[in-house]
Amino acid sequence: MAKLLLVAACALIDRDGKVLMARRPEGKAHAGLWEFPGGKLAEGETPEAALVRELKEELAVDTEASCLAPAAFASEALGDFHLLMPLYVCRKWKGIPTPLEGQELRWVKPEGLIRMEMPPADRPLAAQLRDLL
């Protein structure tokens, strides 16, 4: 039986309706591909708490769990584990998103999301988010 890997992702949406995407840096799996910011949950951590932590660590952005709204999720078998990735929308945060882990950042209109090169799990989320927005 495949091990379940729970990863939370966030679509930060600015006042113009653009979505923040991050390009995975060299040396990481899926390097060069665009993804929604986020990361793996720590032991006993909720998806919302993980995103509050990850957004601070990766982007120097402060937000609260109450500012995160569930929007979509991806479920995908990836070899010896199964990825479950909820996507949250966040429109309220403090700070200017700054790449702290060597990633490139880009604000993208919702209709432009599906043209970006993404890891397989992010692709259906991009289409769902575009339709939602």
Side-chain angles (χ1 to χ4, degrees), residues 51-52 56 72 84 106 116 124 130:
L51 284 176
V52 168
K56 179 79 168 169
L84 183 60
R106 183 179 296 168
M116 301 184 86
R130 177 204 61 202

Side-chain angles (χ1 to χ4, degrees), residues 18-31:
K18 292 182 181 174
V19 180
L20 184 70
M21 298 298 289
R23 190 175 211 169
R24 293 187 61 83
E26 292 303 316
K28 290 198 171 191
H30 301 294

Side-chain angles (χ1 to χ4, degrees), residues 83-101:
L83 176 72
L84 183 60
M85 184 164 58
L87 176 68
Y88 291 77
V89 168
C90 180
R91 295 177 186 267
K92 185 178 177 186
W93 65 86
K94 292 178 186 158
I96 297 170
T98 305
L100 300 178
E101 297 184 345

Side-chain angles (χ1 to χ4, degrees), residues 67-123:
C67 297
L68 300 169
F73 74 93
S75 179
E76 183 173 346
L78 299 171
D80 59 348
F81 63 92
H82 190 94
L83 176 72
L84 183 60
M85 184 164 58
L87 176 68
Y88 291 77
V89 168
C90 180
R91 295 177 186 267
K92 185 178 177 186
W93 65 86
K94 292 178 186 158
I96 297 170
T98 305
L100 300 178
E101 297 184 345
Q103 72 276 45
E104 179 184 341
L105 301 178
R106 183 179 296 168
W107 291 98
V108 181
K109 291 182 180 177
E111 57 273 14
L113 291 172
I114 58 168
R115 291 190 295 274
M116 301 184 86
E117 291 186 49
M118 298 180 179
D122 287 78
R123 185 149 299 287

Side-chain angles (χ1 to χ4, degrees), residues 52-61 98 100-101:
V52 168
R53 176 182 53 77
E54 289 281 351
L55 292 172
K56 179 79 168 169
E57 293 173 0
E58 291 181 10
L59 302 172
V61 164
T98 305
L100 300 178
E101 297 184 345

